[in-house]
């Protein structure tokens, strides 16, 4: 499947699709509803010729076929992936890039092996400080190649995986068949698809998608400011955030109890509570959190709201996490429009019945 007919197409080639929030109604996002973000054209890959190369600052470089990798101990994690640019379209003044609204996020059950086990076999030398990841997708013309790197500590984390299954199926081509990196809790550009090359480096990789893109100002900047790369640091973990999935924005509702629903996530932390306000933030009521939970996965929440009368309402959702972080009132504007996580809002019209 190379298109996603039910998703919002942001670009056809390369394929970029976001999920309409109304389609998020299960804790696990089905593969055909999972957003897609690709910087380059989708490569064609055959398992006969595919292999993964591990080299660089190691004693024992090697290449492995998928069957070889599956011999390491297999682990499944439920992880929410979110594009760093999710919500970019809400920044003021606007910033360049794909104008994602709320749906460049999804949660899947990912199955694979620990990167740490593979690196152990390669025997990283004492010079190894970062790990570089490249996929089979190739740049065209003057575009830079999509290559990313991870600090050794996160690379060796037991939850950082090389995954070959998504929700119990072989990884779909759009999501990185046959193998992708999965870096739980970090913005999804770390989770390199169509992986073919893992190289241990003595320093951070020096390329466009590490030194220029996916970076955030070290100090808050005024909206619209130019920020030089020297004043930025690489993105890493995701902030605390929620989205409302029901009722729909601009819905007309009867004057009757309405179930307000959504999902909240917090990168490497866990969501500790979600509060809902229907009076423009004057008062907040705790939402009920869903039973399904896992460390790096979003948490469903719901709140049964009985409108006091007909009229126009804003429904607000505000998540708090186990690190004490709370969704902010004001965005942290940044030149690339990353990490939008302002208090979530939909507007509805309650009709007299
Ligand atoms: N090889 C490769 N890996 C990649 C990308 C890419 O363009 N090429 N895009 C990254 C970005 S920016 C995101 S948000 C996620 C999207 O993963 P998905 O398409 O499976 O949702 O993949 C990441 N991995
Ligand atoms: Mo992304």
């Amino acid at each position: 499947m190379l298109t996603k007919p039910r998703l919002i197409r942001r670009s056809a080639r390369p394929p970029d699709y976001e999920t309409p929030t109304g389609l998020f109604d299960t804790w696990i996002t089905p593969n055909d509803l999972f957003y897609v973000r690709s910087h380059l054209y989708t490569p064609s890959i055959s398992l006969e010729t595919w292999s993964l190369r591990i080299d660089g600052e190691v004693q024992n470089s090697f290449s492995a076929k998928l069957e070889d990798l599956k011999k390491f101990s297999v682990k499944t994690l439920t992880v929410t992936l979110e594009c760093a640019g999710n919500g970019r379209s809400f920044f003021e003044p606007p910033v360049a890039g794909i104008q994602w609204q709320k749906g460049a996020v999804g949660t899947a059950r990912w199955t694979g092996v620990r990167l740490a086990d593979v690196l152990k076999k390669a025997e990283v030398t004492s010079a190894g400080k970062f790990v570089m990841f490249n996929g089979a997708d190739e740049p065209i013309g003057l575009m830079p190649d999509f290559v990313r790197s991870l600090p050794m500590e996160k690379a060796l984390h037991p939850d950082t995986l090389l995954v070959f299954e998504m929700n119990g199926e072989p990884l779909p081509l759009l999501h990185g068949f046959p193998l992708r990196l999965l870096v739980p809790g970090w913005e999804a550009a770390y989770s390199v698809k169509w992986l073919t090359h893992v190289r241990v480096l003595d320093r951070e990789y020096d390329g466009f998608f590490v030194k220029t893109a996916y970076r955030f100002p070290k100090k808050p900047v005024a909206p619209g400011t130019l920020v030089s790369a020297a004043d930025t640091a690489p993105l890493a973990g995701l902030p605390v955030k929620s989205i409302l999935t029901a009722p729909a924005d601009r819905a007309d509702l009867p004057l009757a109890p309405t179930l307000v629903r959504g999902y909240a996530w917090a990168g490497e932390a866990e969501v500790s509570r979600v509060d809902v306000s229907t009076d423009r933030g004057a008062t907040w009521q705790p939402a009920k959190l869903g039973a399904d939970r896992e460390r790096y996965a979003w948490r469903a929440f719901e709140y049964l709201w009985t409108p006091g009368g007909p009229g126009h309402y804003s429904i607000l959702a505000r998540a708090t996490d186990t690190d004490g972080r709370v969704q902010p009132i004001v965005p942290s504007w940044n030149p690339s429009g990353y990490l939008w996580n302002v208090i979530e809002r939909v507007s509805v019209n309650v009709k007299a019945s």
Side-chain angles (χ1 to χ4, degrees), residues 8 17 71 73 84 86 97 156 161 187 208 210 273 279 297 324:
I8 304 164
Y17 293 89
K71 290 179 188 142
S73 113
N86 195 25
L156 293 180
L161 304 181
E187 58 89 8
F208 177 83
V210 174
R273 59 183 296 144
D279 56 7

Side-chain angles (χ1 to χ4, degrees), residues 15 17 34-40 81-85 100 104 110 133-137 145-148 166 174-176 180-181 187-195 209 214:
Y17 293 89
F34 205 98
Y35 85 97
V36 179
R37 171 59 172 133
S38 296
H39 288 268
L40 311 171
L81 276 191
E82 186 189 20
C83 180
W100 301 111
W110 308 92
F133 303 88
N134 195 3
D137 49 342
D145 196 4
F146 189 83
V147 180
R148 299 278 292 152
M166 179 177 184
L174 286 174
H175 298 289
R180 82 182 296 171
L181 180 65
E187 58 89 8
Y190 282 100
S191 293
V192 175
K193 303 192 277 190
W194 310 292
L195 202 59
F209 287 102
Y214 297 111

Side-chain angles (χ1 to χ4, degrees), residues 72 74 81 129 151 167-168 172 193 208 262 276 278 296 307 346:
F72 290 94
V74 172
L81 276 191
K129 298 286 183 273
N167 292 329
K193 303 192 277 190
F208 177 83
V276 172
T278 53
Y296 308 102
V346 298

